[in-house]
Amino acid sequence: MIEHFPFYLSLIVVIVLLIMLADKLKVAYPVLLVVTGLLISLLPGLPKIHIEPELIFIIFLPPLLYDAAFAMSWKELWRWRRIVTSFAFIVVFFTALSVAFVADWFIPGFSLALGFLLGGIVSPPDAISASAILKFVKVPRRMSSILEGESLLNDASSLIIFRFALIAATTGRFVWQEAALSFGWMVIGGAAIGVLVGWLFMKAHKYLPTDANMDIALTLVTPYVMYIAAEEVHSSGVLAVVSGGLLMSSRRHYFLSSSSRLRGVNVWQSLVFLLNGWVFLLIGLDLPEINEGLKKEGTALSVAIGYGLLITFVLIIVRTLASYGAVVVTQIAGRFIEVADRNPGWKAPLLLSWSGMRGVVSLAAALSIPIEMSAGVPFPHRNLILFITFVVILVTLLLQGLTLPWLIKKVDLPDFHDYLPEEETERLLKKGMHEHTLQYFNTNYKRHLVSNSILRQKVAFWEQKSNPEPDEYISEETKKIYLDILEQQRVWLRNQNKTDNKIDEEIIRKFLYGIDLEEEKLKYT
């Protein structure tokens, strides 16, 4: 391990350079990372990379899921809850079922249980790839929200399917009643454990004498505790991290200081940047080991590639049908219940269907298949399943990942008018926040204006919407008043986010970030 350490350090440099190149070329960086990892793996004399699935599940998955949940808007997730849950659970199930029947029919030696196992592995789309593409091309907020929300839940549903299929394949028996009870416990238990652990950590942040560094350290530990606690009682660690992360994200202003929030953003952005880079590079680097195992099973490379392309085709077709099926269901349901959009049109489902790139969770699940069954017999077609998974990841990243930006521009999505325009939203928020601030100030602190020139300047800013920087020393009393005013602005913004569905939460978060910066600046004046 020590002699290979310079090699691993050089890979970090490669990751940074490749992401810089991806930004320059306006290409999703997972595409370049996987292809480069594949090319590096073919170079002679380099250390052989062996990926332990436990490393991906335990080290990589919890922080990546937690960061995604923390960034997700609960308001958006609730608004699109029906389509998100249908894609994350129903569509994932039917995708796995479709793959099971196709694999059973076309791949010699495959049973329905093995097909279902393969389906559970390749059914969840990877949100990291889609997000990397969407940052280069502007799409309506609803599209990114649906993709982000789906990605938070589909990993959990696919891994649940994978577990049940693995049991059926290894034991040869499957009891539907037991499976239904286990499924219920994995979903409900996982979510409950995540919320419970999140609540405990929030109390620890709030009542223990922590500073910003301690708070950040605790946030790094939190997703691992959620994941491990849930897995120890055989529920879903993924759902635990997602539910706990959503809870803590929605309550972040109640238990974290402005310093902890600001510094935590920087730490987490750097951590997630490296973890994402590593996992996609490792996918490409793992090909030699996968190919070696394929040879041991006696499967020709060309035949295995054909199977991989077949399964990829099935995945694309099923997701496309599901996307347009969701439109039909929405139009029918809209006659009986209130839906987010009665007529989503044909363009949005097309892009939603083409955003189904596969990634790290699929590879980790495939790698976690045991080498031997309980009786010591080699697990059937393990290496073929691994190779098919690799082909699916590679082809979807290259085919869909490289063409999605072109498709987005070609389709030219309409403005769905889900929210007010950004400029109008910012203007209304500034006006409302200033009016609320002045009203609160005049009610509680107006008597201080006579003797305090700093506060007079701040009041002038709120009235005139300009911000002259004061050169005078700010007393502790003035700081205390100003901090109270800033907290009232936060309260007003959070209330606006809850009560006004036409305001995009992303803009609310931008304003809250600005208030945190203002509070942090006050500490050094």
Side-chain angles (χ1 to χ4, degrees), residues 291-394:
N291 193 30
E292 221 173 89
L294 195 65
K295 290 177 182 177
K296 291 178 182 177
E297 288 184 356
T299 306
L301 184 63
S302 58
V303 173
I305 291 174
Y307 293 150
L309 293 175
L310 172 64
I311 297 301
T312 305
F313 176 76
V314 171
L315 294 174
I316 293 174
I317 292 298
V318 170
R319 186 170 175 86
T320 302
L321 293 175
S323 298
Y324 283 99
V327 175
V328 176
V329 172
T330 298
Q331 290 176 333
I332 295 173
R335 300 176 181 177
F336 307 100
I337 60 174
E338 185 179 348
V339 294
D341 188 350
R342 293 178 181 274
N343 185 22
W346 65 270
K347 294 181 178 181
L350 175 63
L351 295 183
L352 187 62
S353 66
W354 203 246
S355 303
M357 292 78 72
R358 269 56 180 182
V360 60
V361 172
S362 294
L363 183 66
L367 285 168
S368 68
I369 297 174
I371 296 174
E372 294 182 346
M373 301 173 73
S374 55
V377 180
F379 195 95
H381 301 293
R382 179 182 187 273
N383 292 298
L384 179 57
I385 292 172
L386 266 170
F387 189 84
I388 290 173
T389 303
F390 180 85
V391 171
V392 167
I393 293 170
L394 186 63

Side-chain angles (χ1 to χ4, degrees), residues 8-231:
Y8 293 121
L9 282 179
S10 66
L11 290 182
I12 294 177
V13 177
V14 170
I15 290 169
V16 173
L17 293 174
L18 285 173
I19 294 179
M20 289 168 59
L21 179 62
D23 288 340
K24 183 74 173 176
L25 299 176
K26 298 193 181 307
V27 173
Y29 68 83
V31 176
L32 286 185
L33 288 169
V34 171
V35 172
T36 303
L38 175 60
L39 295 175
I40 291 174
S41 70
L42 300 176
L43 296 175
L46 291 180
K48 186 178 179 181
I49 302 293
H50 173 71
I51 303 176
E52 294 289 344
E54 291 80 9
L55 289 179
I56 294 180
F57 277 128
I58 297 295
I59 295 178
F60 290 95
L61 199 56
L64 291 177
L65 286 169
Y66 186 77
D67 179 73
F70 222 79
M72 183 66 195
S73 163
W74 173 254
K75 183 168 76 173
E76 284 292 295
L77 187 61
W78 182 254
R79 181 173 190 170
W80 304 106
R81 61 191 181 278
R82 292 190 181 93
I83 189 168
V84 165
T85 52
S86 64
F87 268 81
F89 289 97
I90 300 173
V91 173
V92 164
F93 175 79
F94 278 108
T95 301
L97 189 64
S98 302
V99 170
F101 280 113
V102 170
D104 179 50
W105 185 267
F106 288 100
I107 302 179
F110 258 65
S111 62
L112 269 178
L114 280 180
F116 224 98
L117 182 70
L118 176 61
I121 290 169
V122 298
S123 54
D126 180 73
I128 300 169
S129 305
S131 299
I133 293 169
L134 295 180
K135 77 175 185 178
F136 295 122
V137 186
K138 187 173 178 60
V139 295
R141 182 78 170 98
R142 65 166 62 181
M143 291 295 298
S144 58
S145 297
I146 292 170
L147 289 172
E148 290 167 4
E150 176 197 0
S151 70
L152 285 176
L153 300 174
N154 62 20
D155 291 343
S157 58
S158 66
L159 290 176
I160 290 171
I161 292 171
F162 169 77
R163 285 186 185 182
F164 290 136
L166 187 61
I167 292 170
T170 52
T171 63
R173 59 186 293 271
F174 186 80
V175 181
W176 284 102
Q177 295 89 337
E178 293 180 5
L181 289 173
S182 298
F183 178 82
W185 166 244
M186 292 181 76
V187 173
I188 298 171
I193 289 170
V195 170
L196 175 61
V197 173
W199 180 82
L200 291 173
F201 270 92
M202 284 193 300
K203 295 301 180 183
H205 282 286
K206 188 170 184 178
Y207 294 112
L208 293 178
T210 59
D211 58 16
N213 292 327
M214 297 176 192
D215 279 335
I216 293 169
L218 284 175
T219 63
L220 294 175
V221 173
T222 302
Y224 293 107
V225 175
M226 291 173 177
Y227 186 87
I228 294 171
E231 291 293 323

